[in-house]
Amino acid sequence: MKVLVINCGSSSLKYQILDMTGEALLAKGLVERIGIEGSALTHEKTGLDDKFKLITPMESHKEAIGHVIDALLDKEHGVISSMRDIGAVGHRVVHAGEKYASSVPINDSVISALEECVELAPLHNPPNLLGIRACSELMPETPMVAVFDTAFHQTMPQEAYIYALPYRYYEKYKVRRYGFHGTSHKYVAERASVMLGVHLNDLKIITCHLGNGASVTAIKRGRCVDTSMGFTPLEGLVMGTRSGDLDPAIVSFIRDKEGIHLHDVIDVLNKESGVLGISGVSSDFRDLEAAVEEGNERASLAIKVFAHKVRFYIGAYIAEMNGVDAIVFTAGLGENSARMRSVICSELGNLGIKLDLVKNNVRGKETIISRDDSKVAILLIPTNEELMIARDTYRLTR
Ligand code: ADP
């Protein structure tokens, strides 16, 4: 069975189509600038060197998905001969609130539940819903599944997800920690168990998803027990452009000093902060590492502040789980930056965490990078959220 995986953003859409017999990736692509001038689709068929590029106005997600289907049906670049070849569609959905702790087949009541969650994720859930509606109009007979970023974190105990606010805010408005990147944390934890040859039930794992957005999760016996992102993805680690944890009193202080609106301060925390804010150079760690080579001290400070926070959470989660067996690095930075992994893991020997600097000199492949005498295994595992979405979609629809 072939499964189409759709990940809709506000003006972009990523997709992959996989053949679930052998879990082979057949093709993948990206539509950019939906509803904006210069809409473009880039489609890549596995095994073909040249990419298929289409630049044409796309006013809506429905139009964009129509072009995706055309690309999938294309004589040269396509991978299906009829729409009926798509057995199911898996949608990445960011927020399911407290409603779903695992993936679900999409029906009207699921769509209503996701609409209710829009106020919890106003930037993310609306485009996810647009993608779902567009697919149900374009391929009404094809079953669809929603896979949620928040679902994996629903196993957190109350003490990990309740904020120390008046309890009525939780009761009235569901203000609590939710956590994100759940599909990625779950995927790498399962891979770690396979790589170590130890059942998930016998492992305490700390997974570090370090990309543009970044989060750390504590996983005990295969279940999330804590995670660094909170009510929104703004909490936790320092990120590319997000501040992560800070004293909430800073928000009104900056508002008053700068004479700006509250929502503009939140915008600064989301878009102008993080390593970009500290360094003034870039949100991309490749640029920061290049700037450090040229002696830029604020770029160096940004990297140190970032690493400090990751170490802070690793320490906290070791305490929370009364130990750790494995630490996993994943996502753009975690998979590619030997330097960052080495800064994060330096001088943790007393905790039994010893990075092998030679083995660490690697990028983007599944491997164990701890020393043989390290009590705690350190692993590099490229994440694959699309495969997880395809697996759940296949399991729930076949
Ligand atoms: P997201 O999905 O959150 O947008 P990714 O997981 O794709 O992010 O990670 C993107 C980030 O990974 C980039 O902003 C960059 O900081 C970092 N990154 C990617 N490749 C490298 C590299 N070779 N060296 C250092 N950092 C890298």
Side-chain angles (χ1 to χ4, degrees), residues 45-58:
K45 178 176 174 177
T46 306
L48 260 193
D49 282 342
D50 62 325
K51 292 182 188 173
F52 170 81
K53 186 135 189 168
L54 173 76
I55 299 174
T56 186
M58 296 184 220

Side-chain angles (χ1 to χ4, degrees), residues 93-96 100 102-104 110 114 146-152 182-183:
V93 180
V94 169
H95 217 309
Y100 301 112
S102 58
S103 307
V104 286
V110 171
L114 298 183
V147 180
F148 308 105
D149 266 29
T150 48
F152 180 58
T183 311

